[in-house]
Amino acid sequence: MVLSNLVKAEKAMANGKIYPLPMGYPAMTPGDGKVYGYLLSFADSRLLKVLDDLEDYQPNQLEAKNLYNRYYIEIYELKGLSLGWAYFMRP
């Protein structure tokens, strides 16, 4: 469902710090470093709920109870465009 609605996947960069976790997936926290990945654009904004479920993010619960929290941050296309969301883990 998610990939079938994918409009664009661009290489991108955000400010933060990335940690490889022993469970086999990464965690991003705020920081001064550069984190490289992909900015995904979808045709249907309702897919944000699917991604929230994947990241186990519950917007109506206290931040401390979520494993990840979704923040609106600047995400840079490698050419300089800025805009996007990211999921951060609490330090």
Side-chain angles (χ1 to χ4, degrees):
M1 176 180 166
V2 173
L3 290 180
S4 65
N5 285 291
L6 182 65
V7 174
K8 190 189 238 184
E10 300 177 74
K11 288 184 180 180
M13 185 277 303
N15 295 318
K17 188 166 182 177
I18 193 103
Y19 298 89
L21 298 176
M23 295 78 77
Y25 53 84
M28 182 176 169
T29 62
D32 295 331
K34 305 288 184 213
V35 175
Y36 292 89
Y38 287 86
L39 174 61
L40 305 178
S41 300
F42 298 99
D44 189 343
S45 63
R46 291 177 294 177
L47 287 175
L48 193 54
K49 171 72 173 109
V50 174
L51 294 173
D52 286 347
D53 291 344
L54 177 69
E55 299 295 352
D56 196 23
Y57 169 64
Q58 314 248 339
N60 297 321
Q61 116 178 324
L62 295 174
E63 277 192 14
K65 292 193 176 238
N66 285 322
L67 179 61
Y68 286 91
N69 288 288
R70 178 168 35 95
Y71 297 105
Y72 188 74
I73 65 164
E74 289 197 282
I75 296 176
Y76 302 93
E77 170 186 81
L78 298 184
K79 296 177 184 174
L81 179 68
S82 167
L83 187 59
W85 292 95
Y87 288 90
F88 282 106
M89 182 173 269
R90 291 179 295 110

